[in-house]
């Protein structure tokens, strides 16, 4: 079964796509948690960080570099931004197709409370 994000990548489900190349696709989150909220997704389906292998090392680096370029494009690089990857239940992952959240455009609160 293709994931929801695989369908978005193939154009079968509409999305506000901001970047695409042969390895990754980036589109705006449907339910944004900040003024800028973009998901950077590998075109090949990798469910979670746990499923990454040595072969994916360059792909993950590419995802981060695409996030950096998009932050500049969105003009949030100077004030800063946050990159998040959720993994499985405790990480709060809802879509089991690896993705980096790029969040910015406002001061973000701490995600995890310090004890
Ligand atoms: P996760 O919780 O898995 O890290 O993040 C999944 C993200 O996908 C959520 O922020 C959610 O708002 C977003 N999302 C869920 N369904 C859709 C959709 O159909 N289109 C887009 N653009 N984003 C989606």
């Amino acid at each position: 079964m293709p994931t929801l994000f695989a369908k978005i990548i193939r154009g079968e489900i509409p999305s506000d796509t901001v970047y695409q190349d042969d390895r990754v696709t980036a589109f705006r989150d449907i339910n944004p948690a900040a003024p800028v909220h973009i998901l950077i997704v590998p075109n090949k389906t990798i469910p979670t960080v746990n499923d990454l292998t040595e072969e994916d090392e360059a792909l993950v680096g590419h995802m981060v570099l695409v996030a950096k370029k998009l932050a500049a494009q969105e003009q949030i690089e100077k004030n800063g931004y946050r990159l998040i990857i959720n993994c499985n239940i405790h990480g709060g992952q809802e879509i089991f197709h690896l993705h980096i959240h790029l969040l910015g455009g406002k001061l973000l609160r701490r995600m995890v409370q310090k004890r």
Side-chain angles (χ1 to χ4, degrees):
M1 275 285 285
T3 65
L4 175 71
F5 286 174
K7 290 181 184 167
I8 287 176
I9 289 161
R10 291 190 218 148
E12 292 167 13
I13 292 177
S15 73
D16 188 353
T17 297
V18 293
Y19 179 87
Q20 187 162 46
D21 64 25
D22 59 332
R23 287 184 284 170
V24 306
T25 302
F27 46 88
R28 294 189 195 280
D29 196 291
I30 204 167
N31 186 19
V36 175
H37 190 170
I38 294 171
L39 304 173
I40 298 101
V41 184
N43 293 341
K44 81 168 183 177
T45 301
I46 300 169
T48 79
V49 170
N50 290 337
D51 300 296
L52 286 168
T53 68
E54 299 292 324
E55 271 182 22
D56 300 315
E57 198 171 326
L59 173 63
V60 174
H62 183 58
M63 288 170 69
V64 174
L65 285 176
V66 168
K68 174 196 142 176
K69 282 182 199 154
L70 290 172
Q73 199 172 293
E74 297 287 323
Q75 300 181 317
I76 58 172
E77 84 274 35
K78 194 164 171 231
N79 283 335
Y81 51 89
R82 185 173 291 161
L83 302 180
I84 300 173
I85 303 178
N86 296 321
C87 181
N88 274 342
I89 305 300
H90 283 189
Q93 185 173 5
E94 290 171 0
I95 306 284
F96 288 83
H97 186 138
L98 185 71
H99 49 283
I100 297 177
H101 295 255
L102 165 62
L103 291 152
K106 72 171 187 182
L107 182 62
L108 301 169
R109 282 180 292 174
R110 280 197 180 279
M111 279 182 311
V112 180
Q113 295 302 318
K114 288 185 179 174
R115 286 196 291 158

